[in-house]
């Protein structure tokens, strides 16, 4: 025979079991939803990372090209200055002043 207490206890137990089952269904549905959308999320993330990497490579190449152009200009200027200096030294060595200096240095060397 069921007493009022037994009926109340079994009713609470039944509610607890039903609540647990609902919770398990919610967890199963949530897990299924996550698993369903994970590949698309990973694909989007991969594509975004790939786009960022591509942009980074393009920017690095742009910087390298600009750096190369700057180096070319600076190198050209350095070569021009070196050429001018060489011409000035050559002109000085061919001058009367340089010939006199060489003659003086040779005479000095003979007296040592």
């Amino acid at each position: 025979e069921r007493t009022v207490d037994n009926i109340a206890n079994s009713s609470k137990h039944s509610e607890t079991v039903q609540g647990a089952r609902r919770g398990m269904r919610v967890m199963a549905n949530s897990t299924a939803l996550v698993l369903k959308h994970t590949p698309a999320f990973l694909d989007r993330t991969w594509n975004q990372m790939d786009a960022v990497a591509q942009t980074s490579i393009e920017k690095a190449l742009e910087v390298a090209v600009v750096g190369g152009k700057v180096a070319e200009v600076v190198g050209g200027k350095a070569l021009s200055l070196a050429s001018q200096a060489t011409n000035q030294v050559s002109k000085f060595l061919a001058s009367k002043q340089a010939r006199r200096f060489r003659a003086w240095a040779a005479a000095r060397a003979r007296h040592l």
Side-chain angles (χ1 to χ4, degrees), residues 14-29:
S14 174
E15 289 173 10
T16 302
V17 170
Q18 287 176 359
R21 285 184 180 147
R22 278 194 300 270
M24 287 174 28
R25 274 195 308 274
V26 167
M27 286 299 294
N29 291 340

Side-chain angles (χ1 to χ4, degrees), residues 74-84:
V74 170
K77 293 291 184 185
L79 285 174
S80 175
L81 290 173
S83 178
Q84 289 173 8

Side-chain angles (χ1 to χ4, degrees), residues 23-64:
M24 287 174 28
R25 274 195 308 274
V26 167
M27 286 299 294
N29 291 340
S30 298
T31 302
L33 187 63
V34 167
L35 291 175
K36 177 182 176 183
H37 293 288
T38 296
F41 172 77
L42 291 176
D43 284 344
R44 278 194 312 276
T45 302
W46 179 261
N47 290 337
Q48 289 169 348
M49 290 172 52
D50 189 42
V52 167
Q54 182 68 31
T55 301
S56 297
I57 290 170
E58 289 170 1
K59 293 299 179 189
L61 288 173
E62 288 174 14
V63 168

